[in-house]
Amino acid sequence: MSATRAAAALAEIAYLLRHQGDQHRARAFTRVAGMLARERPDLAGLRASGRLETLEGVGAGIARTLAELVDTGQSSYLERLRTEVGAKAGPVPVLDERSSPLVASGYRGDLHCHTDWSDGGATVQAMAEAALARGYDYLAITDHSPRITVTNGLGPERLAAQRRLIDEANAALSGITVLQGCEVDILEDGSLDLPDEALAALDLVIASPHVKLRMEAAQMTERMLRAVEHPEVTILGHPTGRRPGSRPGAEYDFEAVFRTAAARGVVVEIDCDPARMDLSPELATVAAGLGCRFSLDSDAHAPDQFVYTDLGAWSAHRAGIGTDRIVNWLSLEQLRKEVL
């Protein structure tokens, strides 16, 4: 059992614990999953020497889960949680067996992250350098639009200033291309939180619902349809806005919205932030059946959060979505031709 496979199992356990409202244990499993994905320790060796609990954040309970994963390749705790939550059963999922599963299997770049220009904790340069260190070919900086004031979002003037900084990062870095996008709020009437001319100047636009998520379903459907029909929208970001265990997501006619997204070439996001996992595997299956393409993104707010894509890859696997349907596996040239 590789550390990356164990990380995928622990990440799914954390996801299911959130559904049960156990946020404390969910966070503990998420922290250890992230550590395993980043550091990739020799779990078999640690198990053989009885030292699993020497790993950062690993107490007796998580050590038992890791020991079973090492010994059998399965987790009875994970299977029990799946049964309790009603999730699909199956083997511990991962997209690739090798030590760096996403990049080794062809993942080329993350299309959703934030910097200190809005509510992130690192500079554009630091995020780009971290993405380059992971082996990415491209990274999209997608700071927030202004609607939610606590995120210090960017209006047209600040976006233009940030573009100059992104140009400087591209001139300074070799081996990665930094794209400029924006995570733009879908307003209550379905319009977007930036003028069309500002959107047109970006490399990509993520349209995301953040507020008024409990809007009546028919009205919410119209709101979401108007957003995906906007000619500048590239990606429908975390499409329900949910936070499992703490905030239910928006309810609307998912099939109508996904069908429209597929017809218009709008990519549907699987946001791998452990507190979101949005789309869920269940809704991702629906979207896949309607012809959608997907973006598997971290929604990182700091460099170490890029690992979220490793932790969320199980969701695409569970939904039966192959890498041929996920745009992050496209080369930059293909991405520009087919998506941007």
Side-chain angles (χ1 to χ4, degrees):
M1 169 65 68
S2 69
T4 50
R5 289 200 62 182
L10 266 57
E12 187 178 357
I13 288 170
Y15 171 78
L16 296 171
L17 286 170
R18 282 188 172 87
H19 272 281
Q20 295 184 325
D22 192 341
Q23 303 290 352
H24 176 72
R25 279 199 296 171
R27 285 191 290 268
F29 273 90
T30 295
R31 283 194 295 269
V32 175
M35 178 273 295
L36 294 178
R38 283 189 296 268
E39 299 181 14
R40 298 194 287 275
D42 176 9
L43 293 180
L46 291 167
R47 166 62 170 154
S49 60
R51 294 187 298 121
L52 285 173
E53 289 188 54
T54 65
L55 291 169
E56 182 182 356
V58 176
I62 296 179
R64 284 193 297 271
T65 299
L66 287 173
E68 186 181 6
L69 286 167
V70 170
D71 293 347
T72 71
Q74 301 295 324
S75 167
S76 56
Y77 184 40
L78 174 55
E79 292 302 327
R80 177 165 65 82
L81 288 172
R82 285 172 175 165
T83 299
E84 291 173 356
V85 174
K88 181 180 177 182
V92 173
V94 71
L95 289 178
D96 190 277
E97 292 282 355
R98 289 165 285 186
S99 60
S100 181
L102 288 179
V103 175
S105 64
Y107 186 93
R108 302 294 187 92
D110 199 321
L111 298 178
H112 185 169
C113 78
H114 300 273
T115 74
D116 58 0
W117 280 71
S118 63
D119 61 341
T123 65
V124 168
Q125 184 84 8
M127 295 296 279
E129 289 173 351
L132 179 61
R134 282 178 63 84
Y136 291 173
D137 295 335
Y138 49 82
L139 174 71
I141 302 296
T142 54
D143 283 307
H144 287 280
S145 65
R147 168 61 188 273
I148 304 176
T149 55
V150 295
T151 65
N152 189 34
L154 284 69
E157 290 186 2
R158 292 186 68 216
L159 281 170
Q162 188 189 59
R163 170 68 80 172
R164 293 190 288 273
L165 190 65
I166 288 174
D167 289 342
E168 292 173 5
N170 279 318
L173 294 173
S174 176
I176 190 169
T177 297
V178 184
L179 304 169
Q180 187 187 33
C182 186
E183 186 180 12
V184 182
D185 269 48
I186 301 173
L187 303 180
E188 287 90 328
D189 64 355
S191 61
L192 301 183
D193 186 33
L194 281 172
D196 287 355
E197 57 270 23
L199 299 174
L202 298 168
D203 295 311
L204 72 154
V205 173
I206 300 175
S208 300
H210 287 106
V211 298
K212 304 290 185 181
L213 297 179
R214 305 314 299 159
M215 184 179 287
E216 189 271 329
Q219 189 178 4
M220 190 73 186
T221 300
E222 291 303 313
R223 175 185 178 185
M224 299 299 287
L225 283 171
R226 184 178 178 191
V228 297
E229 289 169 351
H230 193 289
E232 298 297 341
V233 170
T234 314
I235 297 170
L236 179 59
H238 52 71
T240 75
R242 72 182 193 148
R243 288 184 176 271
S246 61
R247 184 177 74 197
E251 293 287 340
Y252 51 90
D253 187 339
F254 297 113
E255 291 192 5
V257 173
F258 297 156
R259 189 178 294 111
T260 300
R264 298 187 64 86
V266 173
V267 173
V268 176
E269 183 178 60
I270 299 174
D271 185 317
C272 295
D273 179 341
R276 289 189 182 275
M277 287 311 305
D278 185 12
L279 287 176
S280 67
E282 295 76 19
L283 281 180
T285 301
V286 173
L290 294 168
C292 290
R293 299 175 85 180
F294 299 87
S295 182
L296 189 75
D297 298 321
S298 66
D299 196 355
H301 286 64
D304 64 351
Q305 293 177 7
F306 283 133
V307 77
Y308 287 168
T309 53
D310 298 298
L311 304 187
W314 68 267
S315 182
H317 182 103
R318 184 72 65 214
I321 299 167
T323 57
D324 60 321
R325 300 283 294 278
I326 306 177
V327 300
N328 314 76
W329 267 257
L330 297 174
S331 68
L332 180 58
E333 181 181 2
Q334 290 174 304
L335 188 73
R336 282 176 164 154
K337 181 178 180 181
E338 300 179 23
V339 179
L340 303 184

